[in-house]
Amino acid sequence: MKQLRRRAELLRQVRAFFDARDFLEVETPLLIPSPGLDLHLQAFQVGTRYLSTSPEYQMKRLLAEGYERIYQITRAFREGEFGSRHNPEFSMLEFYRANAGVDDVMKDTEDLVEAVTGGEVVLGDRRISTRAPFARMTVCEAFEAYAKVTPEETLEMARSDEDRFFFTLVDQVEPRIAELDHAVFLTEYPASQASLARKKASDPRVAERFEAYVAGVELCNGFGELTDPVEQRGRFEQDQRERRARGLPVYPIDERFLEALERGMPPSGGNAVGLDRLIAVASGTTEIRNVMAFADDEL
């Protein structure tokens, strides 16, 4: 009961944060024609449609229609996701800003986390600062510091041996990030690991993608958004080929999303925040089931 009351209080704080910054709260459908083509996400199919893994496509369509600041608190569904920080059905916060860049969205993110956590997370006898500004490390810097892999090797690994890249990230890099006594942004992911983010202008080998970590908990996945419809279609088609080669379900391309990009979407930034994870760390735990009314195995 205490945790659910705390959850309700934090949800009010999240809404107050965005409302005070002139973001419009929106709702988009949960049953959608395409759940996205990310190689690591599996969707639940319902008839000819899919339960949403993220409201990203629909929210970007709203950006293309002229909405400048929007956010949404919604349910998302991903098959096969179980664990202390995963559940097949979970709460997601997504927000987008038109005419803004990745640095603007990172500033929004660190301010949000600081506001919700009060500037500090307490986990047992550990105290982790969540005061803005957060520390920043590029993926290449983190791999070099924590896994002794050079930037060149990291970029090549991400392109040619994705399994090794993720194993290194999860097995060597993230445990060291978890030891930090402050929040940190991991930035500039290899371009091959960011199919919806635009490439960095000064170094197209990497993308404008970031993730925020607190006590080793990955809280979000944010982008400087790709707005080029031709490049986006090419990336989608490559993802479809890769899914087919791996024997994974090949989901359809969302043509209306691409049509919106063709009409013109302004330069934008956006972020998807695991709301259960944020509420958990703000409540002194890294187990999301502790802040959910019912986890999947309790149904």
Side-chain angles (χ1 to χ4, degrees), residues 18 41 53-57 59-60 70-74 76 78 90-97 105-106 109 112-113 185 196 209-212 218-225 269-278:
F18 285 103
L41 298 183
T53 60
S54 162
E56 184 168 4
Y57 294 167
M59 292 186 75
K60 288 180 181 178
I70 53 176
Y71 79 98
Q72 178 169 188
I73 294 173
T74 187
R78 298 177 180 179
F90 61 98
S91 293
M92 177 178 282
L93 161 70
E94 287 208 16
F95 65 93
Y96 294 87
R97 292 182 59 170
V105 176
M106 291 173 74
T109 302
L112 170 68
V113 174
F185 283 125
L196 289 160
R209 175 187 171 190
F210 70 89
E211 294 186 350
E218 174 205 325
L219 295 181
C220 68
N221 186 25
F223 303 146
E225 304 294 346
N271 197 6
V273 180
L275 197 51
D276 301 306
R277 295 182 184 185
L278 177 58

Side-chain angles (χ1 to χ4, degrees), residues 83-235:
S84 63
R85 299 170 190 173
H86 296 87
N87 200 65
E89 179 182 353
F90 61 98
S91 293
M92 177 178 282
L93 161 70
E94 287 208 16
F95 65 93
Y96 294 87
R97 292 182 59 170
N99 303 306
V102 67
D103 288 329
D104 299 300
V105 176
M106 291 173 74
K107 180 66 167 61
D108 290 334
T109 302
E110 60 193 1
D111 287 347
L112 170 68
V113 174
E114 179 177 8
V116 171
T117 62
E120 184 178 69
V121 165
V122 180
L123 298 170
D125 60 357
R126 293 190 64 194
R127 292 182 178 273
I128 298 96
S129 172
T130 52
R131 296 195 180 278
F134 292 178
R136 300 188 183 196
M137 295 182 72
T138 69
V139 168
C140 285
E141 289 171 344
F143 271 57
E144 188 165 37
Y146 300 140
K148 308 305 179 187
V149 180
T150 68
E152 292 73 19
E153 291 172 331
T154 297
L155 294 171
E156 176 59 27
M157 185 195 315
R159 188 183 63 81
S160 63
D161 193 348
E162 192 176 78
D163 290 340
R164 181 179 166 222
F165 175 84
F166 278 104
F167 178 82
T168 304
L169 176 65
V170 172
D171 190 60
Q172 298 184 60
V173 175
E174 289 186 338
R176 296 293 301 278
I177 289 176
E179 296 172 359
L180 299 175
D181 62 0
H182 53 80
V184 61
F185 283 125
L186 202 58
T187 68
E188 296 185 14
Y189 276 71
S192 61
Q193 305 302 314
S195 66
L196 289 160
R198 62 175 169 248
K199 295 176 181 177
K200 186 177 178 182
S202 61
D203 185 357
R205 298 176 304 167
V206 300
E208 294 183 359
R209 175 187 171 190
F210 70 89
E211 294 186 350
Y213 286 84
V214 173
V217 178
E218 174 205 325
L219 295 181
C220 68
N221 186 25
F223 303 146
E225 304 294 346
L226 177 62
T227 59
D228 183 331
V230 175
E231 183 177 353
Q232 186 64 82
R233 181 180 292 279
R235 293 192 195 182

Side-chain angles (χ1 to χ4, degrees), residues 1-18:
M1 180 67 73
K2 179 181 178 182
Q3 290 287 39
L4 291 184
R5 290 187 182 279
R6 174 68 170 157
R7 181 186 180 98
E9 174 190 342
L10 294 177
L11 286 172
R12 287 192 291 270
Q13 289 185 20
V14 169
R15 285 190 164 94
F17 176 91
F18 285 103

